[in-house]
Amino acid sequence: MNGTHYSGEIADLLGRVRRRPTADWPWHPGEPVPGRLPVKQCWGWLFAPDGRVLTLVNPRDGVVGLPGGSLEPQDGGDPAVALAREAAEEAQALIDGPCHVGYLYDRVGATNGGRECARVRMAAALRSVGPTAPDPASGRHYRRLLVAPGLAVELLGWGASGIRQARAAIQAAVALFQVPGRASEVIEELPAGGCEFRPCV
């Protein structure tokens, strides 16, 4: 398929996208988090069977994100548990097989009281999404878009570091979930009532 395709409604939504400033956090692909660094956040590249990933758009302010967030006490210090919980809360998504693809070193530690920390990135298979609902933690009601990983980087505003993260996630997803290395270029909003995907195994 040539070019990016999407509906007029999605075009309007994307026209209001606001990108966060790019943080200068060094990317460590494939490396485990050193024991001295606490893991404070985990975000996930959640892959549909056709290689697209789930992105969340807050229609109130246009900010785009991947599913994920801060580790909470109930996560037991496990980023994979945190990702599964956050994906369910933010996107009503069920995931499978989350795997570590690297981490960002946050020397400033804004989420850790000014002390250095790690922000983990994972890849996982997207199995289903339920009926759309507000995030219980923030009240945000996200729009759920499937997009090619490269476009996700553009929407996120993550620059060169985001491209490297996406490549690491794609490599893991191709190996573990048998998704194609080149994703569909169609931008698709997932149904408000939810949907299921065939198992990515």
Side-chain angles (χ1 to χ4, degrees):
M1 182 172 296
N2 296 321
T4 302
H5 301 267
Y6 46 87
S7 69
E9 183 179 3
I10 290 176
D12 178 66
L13 178 65
L14 295 180
R16 292 180 276 119
V17 162
R18 181 170 63 84
R19 295 166 180 84
R20 292 190 177 100
T22 302
D24 185 24
W25 299 328
W27 167 240
H28 297 266
E31 298 180 25
V33 178
R36 64 180 175 81
L37 285 181
V39 176
K40 300 304 292 184
Q41 290 184 326
C42 178
W43 288 305
W45 298 86
L46 310 186
F47 286 85
D50 64 4
R52 291 180 294 175
V53 294
L54 179 62
T55 58
L56 305 177
V57 184
N58 185 345
R60 294 180 185 175
D61 58 16
V63 171
V64 180
L66 295 178
S70 298
L71 274 68
E72 302 292 346
Q74 64 265 37
D75 302 323
D78 188 339
V81 173
L83 177 59
R85 175 184 54 76
E86 290 281 1
E89 291 177 354
E90 295 178 341
Q92 301 73 55
L94 177 66
I95 64 173
D96 193 20
C99 68
H100 176 91
V101 295
Y103 74 94
L104 292 160
Y105 169 59
D106 180 358
R107 65 176 63 86
V108 176
T111 60
N112 192 37
R115 297 179 300 275
E116 63 180 0
C117 63
R119 299 172 184 250
V120 165
R121 296 290 186 266
M122 305 192 87
L126 182 61
R127 301 297 298 272
S128 67
V129 294
T132 184
D135 179 359
S138 66
R140 294 171 183 157
H141 202 120
Y142 295 104
R143 303 279 290 272
R144 307 173 297 186
L145 300 182
L146 285 183
V147 303
L151 178 57
V153 172
E154 176 65 24
L155 294 175
L156 291 160
W158 285 358
S161 175
I163 292 172
R164 291 191 292 269
Q165 294 174 49
R167 286 175 177 162
I170 292 167
Q171 184 177 22
V174 169
L176 296 173
F177 313 132
Q178 288 78 56
V179 304
R182 183 175 178 85
S184 166
E185 294 292 330
V186 175
I187 302 173
E188 177 185 359
E189 183 164 14
L190 295 179
C195 62
E196 294 187 359
F197 302 93
R198 64 171 174 78
C200 298
V201 295

